[in-house]
Amino acid sequence: MRSLPKLLGLLGGVCWAAAWPVEARAVTASVPERVPSLMGEAVTFDLTIGDAVGPVQVRWDMGDETRTEFTVGDVQQVHTYAAPGHYPVLATVKDDVGFTSVAFVHTVHRPLVTGSAAGSTDLVHDQPNAKVYTANYENDSVSVLDTSALTRLAEVPVARGPVGLALTAHGKLWVLHRDAHSLSIIDTASLTVEREVTLPYASQPMGLAISPTGDAAYVTLMAVGKLLKLDVASGAVVAELVLGGTPRGVSVSHDGSQVYVTRFISEDSHGEVARIDAATFQVSTRFELAADTTTEDTDQQGRGLPNYLFSVGLSPDGLFAWVPGKKDNIFRGPFRDQLALTDDNTVRPLVALLNVAEGAEDVARRIDLDDRNLPNQVVFTPLGDYAFVSVAGSALVEVRDAYTGEFVTALKETGFAPRGLALTETDKLFVHASLSRTVAVYDVADVVSSHDLITKKLADIPTVAAEKLDAQVLRGKQLFFNSADVRMSDQGYISCASCHFDGAEDGRVWDFGSVGEGLRNTVSLVGRRGTGHGNTNWSGSFDEIQDADDNIRDLFGGKGFLGAEQLAAGTVATPRGDKKAGLSPELDALAAFLGSLDTYRPSPFRNADGSLTEDGVAGRAIFERLGCGFCHTGPDGTDSARGKLHDVGTVKPSSGMRAGEPLFGIDTPTLNGVWETAPYLHDGSAPTLRDVLVTANPEDRHAFTSALSEAELGQLIAYVQQLDGSIDSEPSEGDGAGQVPDDSFGLHCGVTGGPFDRRAPLLAFAFVAGSMAFGARRRRPS
């Protein structure tokens, strides 16, 4: 079956060729009624003939390898297509004077389920009221748009950090808040917030979907690895399910019987989507998205581990679930397979197709969106024959043939970071360009009907009246996401957000040996205020955010934001050389955005009021008496600002170098926010906090943990898991009732002590030895 662009091009060429002898052509023909048909059912095509001279002969090509010979009077063709698809039908007509032809694409679709599935999104369409709503995350508001006039009607203030929207059958708009860990319920008639529903403290609710049957709502809690089931009438939690990991996107099948949840950050072995039986509220299937270790790395394909699984789009035929995300090529690098990372083969975009009936991914149909970055949501045409995929990092929406997966066309100029999509009954596609603060509207009727590839942009509707972010910070975030700018990425695959979505991290360990480093665990940028802690990167190789221009040119394949003359001046081209700040407005904007990331996400390991638990209080005392604060010092929990590097036994050959120079130690990372950034240490070699303190600390060079009892070790872990930048000036008694996720979150402690400070833990021990009460030592630290 040919792809639609090829089909339309072929048909256009056939029509042109058929019309060549204009002076000889007398007969005319048309097929007045062309409607889609169901696979396996007969469809009738009737030719209307005019101006014929003599007998009329017709030859049919049905587009599925079925052809007829020229036959007199064959003006009707009855045909049955065995498979769904877009078929190029060609009827060639000739009489005694000349000939003509009729060509068109006929759509054959699968049987459709009754009703529509629901999925998490930041844009929803209210068809009865001809409105569209958007969640405006940084501006703490919901915008109301008129789908006819294509204007903004209102902007409703809501709680902090709205990330998801869903409509009930009774005209209520549910708004999910990541930062306020709550739900707002808005009456769509009066546009007022009727009530707030509090969700578990620090749980990071990320996905919201209301069942099409209207009897339940589902919310993912990314920080605590849970799925909640809520009563739609009251908003009360009626059940919770521990899924583990980082559940994010949630969708509900057309009949409300099945719930699908994505794991956002994958394990190193595979990606995952869980299917939950709504009646029993238990996991029935875990779809494993296998790591691709065998595909040849080229400029159009490559290996990789599925990761950043944003959402689930359920097809209208009920047979497939489309899961957009990315593939991380953690199998490539000088320390792994002796191949350097390239811009084509570091991260690649991914859409996985899950076979719902078989309960497994259809790996053969996995889609690689070439030259794209961060696909994140999928919506289908009513027949399910086309899929619209928003691609946040590429500032566009791709249209794919849902049956073949092949590229059809792209809707460009959406604005920065397009996410939520909605296709209306009038074939208007609404696209939420979240970082442009607009909704782009396209007329896609010709694509939906398979008549042409023509689309028309109708409007850019502003969503926010008064922007809360500083203009330079917003510009920096736009640049941070955008790989469509050739200065960021020549081929369009990589932007800063590819590994640091929303400033966080992707849970991966990269082999940067080809750029003068080594195995490096992705660091979260949240809370670090850019260079607020000191130099950046595990090796402290950059002393300003503007040094990232080196990575942009060397790793992203971008042209960079500094010109050749600027780089040739002094030591500007050298990390930690002459300052790059002030040389590029774009790099300065990136620095301003990262500098604005000045708070950590609250730890769900704390009590529900945000205080330390009893174990956390006890662990703080152990932390202090072990002298951990010697390196993890001050409110930032790091001595990075002193320029110190440490080696506590974790530096090894695979640690590589420091920007091409010898690596003597590792920059001390903050412990704030480490609860959500597994794995740990600079090379990701410690899966959990316990591994950091025990497995990766055999000689007590990192901390004197061999002297601790199991209970004390657990208390120390509890304290570090609760570090989130909060000020705990006084001991908090706590009640031990904090939300505690799976222990696999652990510690992101990459502290080391090197030639510069190898004896720092011993010195700290000497300072506090008089007040230490270790209990019985199992062995002395070496």
Side-chain angles (χ1 to χ4, degrees):
M1 202 183 308
R2 305 181 184 95
S3 65
L4 184 60
K6 295 177 182 176
L7 297 183
L8 294 175
L10 173 64
L11 295 182
V14 170
C15 294
W16 174 81
W20 184 291
V22 176
E23 64 281 351
R25 186 176 67 186
V27 66
T28 62
S30 64
V31 178
E33 292 188 16
R34 303 200 304 266
V35 296
S37 64
L38 194 63
M39 58 178 285
E41 293 187 358
V43 58
T44 301
F45 301 113
D46 288 302
L47 271 175
T48 299
I49 306 296
D51 302 322
V53 177
V56 173
Q57 299 182 66
V58 181
R59 181 178 64 194
W60 293 87
D61 184 334
M62 307 310 297
D64 63 349
E65 308 302 328
T66 302
R67 297 179 179 85
T68 68
E69 298 299 326
F70 277 108
T71 304
V72 175
D74 190 10
V75 296
Q76 184 182 79
Q77 189 68 210
V78 179
H79 190 69
T80 300
Y81 291 93
H86 301 101
Y87 294 92
V89 179
L90 175 65
T92 305
V93 181
K94 65 178 181 179
D95 64 0
D96 291 346
V97 176
F99 64 89
T100 189
S101 64
V102 178
F104 57 92
V105 174
H106 177 68
T107 299
V108 179
H109 63 91
R110 296 189 180 99
L112 306 177
V113 298
T114 302
S116 299
S120 50
T121 179
D122 65 355
L123 178 149
V124 294
H125 176 217
D126 182 357
Q127 182 175 344
N129 295 310
K131 295 176 181 176
V132 158
Y133 308 97
T134 67
N136 307 319
Y137 177 70
E138 289 96 348
N139 287 283
D140 303 331
S141 66
V142 170
S143 294
V144 185
L145 312 180
D146 186 310
T147 60
S148 298
L150 303 184
T151 57
R152 184 181 69 233
L153 298 174
E155 186 179 357
V156 183
V158 293
R160 290 183 301 113
V163 291
L165 301 174
L167 279 166
T168 73
H170 303 291
K172 308 299 180 184
L173 178 67
W174 284 34
V175 186
L176 187 68
H177 304 281
R178 180 182 191 177
D179 296 345
H181 39 266
S182 67
L183 278 163
S184 299
I185 299 178
I186 297 176
D187 179 77
T188 56
S190 62
L191 296 181
T192 57
V193 178
E194 290 188 338
R195 68 181 188 276
E196 301 281 347
V197 177
T198 301
L199 298 172
Y201 173 76
S203 57
Q204 288 192 44
M206 283 301 297
L208 166 67
I210 294 178
S211 173
T213 58
D215 60 343
Y218 300 92
V219 172
T220 56
L221 305 180
M222 192 163 73
V224 296
K226 293 180 179 179
L227 175 69
L228 300 182
K229 185 176 184 179
L230 284 71
D231 178 76
V232 174
S234 65
V237 177
V238 297
E240 68 174 41
L241 177 63
V242 177
L243 292 173
T246 49
R248 185 178 179 120
V250 56
S251 293
V252 189
S253 62
H254 67 286
D255 58 1
S257 65
Q258 307 294 323
V259 183
Y260 295 80
V261 177
T262 68
R263 178 172 181 164
F264 188 56
I265 305 294
S266 300
E267 297 179 353
D268 279 345
S269 57
H270 63 274
E272 184 176 284
V273 176
R275 179 166 59 186
I276 296 97
D277 182 276
T280 64
F281 207 53
Q282 295 296 316
V283 175
S284 60
T285 311
R286 289 191 183 268
F287 295 85
E288 292 191 359
L289 280 61
D292 182 353
T293 61
T294 58
T295 296
E296 181 184 1
D297 291 343
T298 70
D299 61 347
Q300 295 183 336
Q301 62 181 20
R303 296 168 291 170
L305 170 74
N307 198 17
Y308 276 3
L309 305 181
F310 286 95
S311 61
V312 177
L314 297 170
S315 61
D317 55 25
L319 298 180
F320 290 95
W322 287 43
V323 183
K326 66 165 181 166
K327 284 200 305 185
D328 293 332
N329 198 346
I330 57 173
F331 314 109
R332 188 179 177 106
F335 291 102
R336 287 172 169 158
D337 66 355
Q338 293 75 57
L339 296 175
L341 291 175
T342 68
D343 55 320
D344 286 301
N345 284 287
T346 300
V347 296
R348 295 190 67 88
L350 160 81
V351 178
L353 273 65
L354 311 183
N355 187 309
V356 171
E358 295 181 2
E361 180 191 2
D362 188 341
V363 178
R365 296 188 62 194
R366 183 180 286 183
I367 302 171
D368 186 321
L369 284 67
D370 198 31
D371 298 336
R372 305 291 191 236
N373 179 32
L374 295 174
N376 63 100
Q377 188 166 353
V378 178
V379 298
F380 294 91
T381 54
L383 295 178
D385 58 329
Y386 294 113
F388 295 90
V389 183
S390 60
V391 191
S394 301
L396 54 77
V397 174
E398 271 207 3
V399 185
R400 291 270 165 170
D401 186 312
Y403 301 134
T404 65
E406 292 187 344
F407 175 82
V408 174
T409 189
L411 310 180
K412 297 185 177 181
E413 299 179 356
T414 61
F416 294 110
R419 297 193 187 184
L421 303 172
L423 181 63
T424 71
E425 69 284 356
T426 57
D427 295 333
K428 293 177 184 174
L429 184 71
F430 286 74
V431 183
H432 185 201
S434 59
L435 293 183
S436 290
R437 314 309 198 213
T438 58
V439 169
V441 187
Y442 296 85
D443 180 347
V444 294
D446 282 344
V447 172
V448 172
S449 64
S450 299
H451 283 174
D452 210 324
L453 302 182
I454 296 174
T455 61
K456 180 181 180 182
K457 189 174 185 180
L458 302 176
D460 281 314
I461 310 172
T463 56
V464 176
E467 175 62 47
K468 287 188 176 182
L469 289 189
D470 174 83
Q472 190 182 34
V473 170
L474 177 58
R475 177 59 180 150
K477 190 168 185 179
Q478 292 170 344
L479 290 163
F480 189 85
F481 269 81
N482 187 30
S483 63
D485 188 331
V486 295
R487 295 172 298 178
M488 177 66 76
S489 176
D490 183 51
Q491 297 298 316
Y493 288 111
I494 312 177
S495 65
C496 306
S498 300
C499 300
H500 299 280
F501 193 81
D502 285 339
E505 47 81 47
D506 59 3
R508 303 278 73 83
V509 177
W510 298 96
D511 185 347
F512 291 145
S514 60
V515 290
E517 295 283 320
L519 297 185
R520 295 291 183 266
N521 183 15
T522 304
V523 175
S524 174
L525 308 176
V526 174
R528 295 177 182 243
R529 308 189 309 279
T531 54
H533 291 182
N535 288 0
T536 65
N537 298 335
W538 285 103
S539 62
S541 58
F542 292 169
D543 62 356
E544 56 181 337
I545 296 301
Q546 287 85 346
D547 279 333
D549 197 62
D550 292 11
N551 282 345
I552 289 170
R553 286 181 280 107
D554 294 340
L555 284 172
F556 298 7
K559 299 183 183 303
F561 294 96
L562 294 175
E565 292 184 4
Q566 292 172 307
L567 290 169
T571 58
V572 169
T574 304
R576 307 186 310 281
D578 291 342
K579 292 297 182 183
K580 296 179 176 70
L583 300 181
S584 163
E586 291 82 7
L587 291 177
D588 291 347
L590 280 171
F593 166 58
L594 295 187
S596 74
L597 302 178
D598 56 2
T599 56
Y600 302 92
R601 301 198 185 279
S603 170
F605 289 87
R606 288 176 171 252
N607 289 316
D609 64 356
S611 63
L612 292 176
T613 65
E614 290 183 6
D615 279 348
V617 173
R620 178 172 60 183
I622 296 170
F623 185 90
E624 292 171 352
R625 115 182 159 218
L626 286 179
C628 301
F630 186 88
C631 297
H632 295 287
T633 183
D636 290 330
T638 173
D639 64 355
S640 180
R642 302 173 184 168
K644 300 292 186 180
L645 299 177
H646 309 290
D647 179 8
V648 291
T650 59
V651 175
K652 57 197 75 168
S654 60
S655 300
M657 297 181 288
R658 185 193 193 208
E661 301 171 354
L663 177 70
F664 296 114
I666 298 297
D667 184 72
T668 305
T670 180
L671 299 183
N672 290 324
V674 300
W675 62 270
E676 64 173 344
T677 57
Y680 310 110
L681 302 181
H682 71 279
D683 58 358
S685 58
T688 68
L689 181 153
R690 183 182 179 86
D691 290 313
V692 172
L693 298 177
V694 179
T695 310
N697 187 30
E699 298 180 355
D700 280 341
R701 289 177 62 181
H702 196 160
F704 298 100
T705 57
S706 65
L708 301 179
S709 67
E710 282 299 316
E712 288 174 319
L713 184 62
Q715 290 168 336
L716 178 59
I717 291 172
Y719 173 62
V720 177
Q721 285 174 326
Q722 295 174 47
L723 291 172
D724 58 8
S726 301
I727 298 176
D728 296 294
S729 57
E730 297 296 331
S732 172
E733 296 300 327
D735 58 8
Q739 298 288 327
V740 181
D742 184 274
D743 185 53
S744 63
F745 285 113
L747 170 68
H748 189 197
C749 181
V751 63
T752 49
F756 304 127
D757 251 349
R758 184 182 298 273
R759 304 182 66 86
L762 295 176
L763 292 171
F765 172 72
F767 293 152
V768 299
S771 60
M772 290 171 63
F774 278 95
R777 280 187 172 85
R778 287 187 284 276
R779 63 183 174 86
R780 295 181 62 82
S782 58

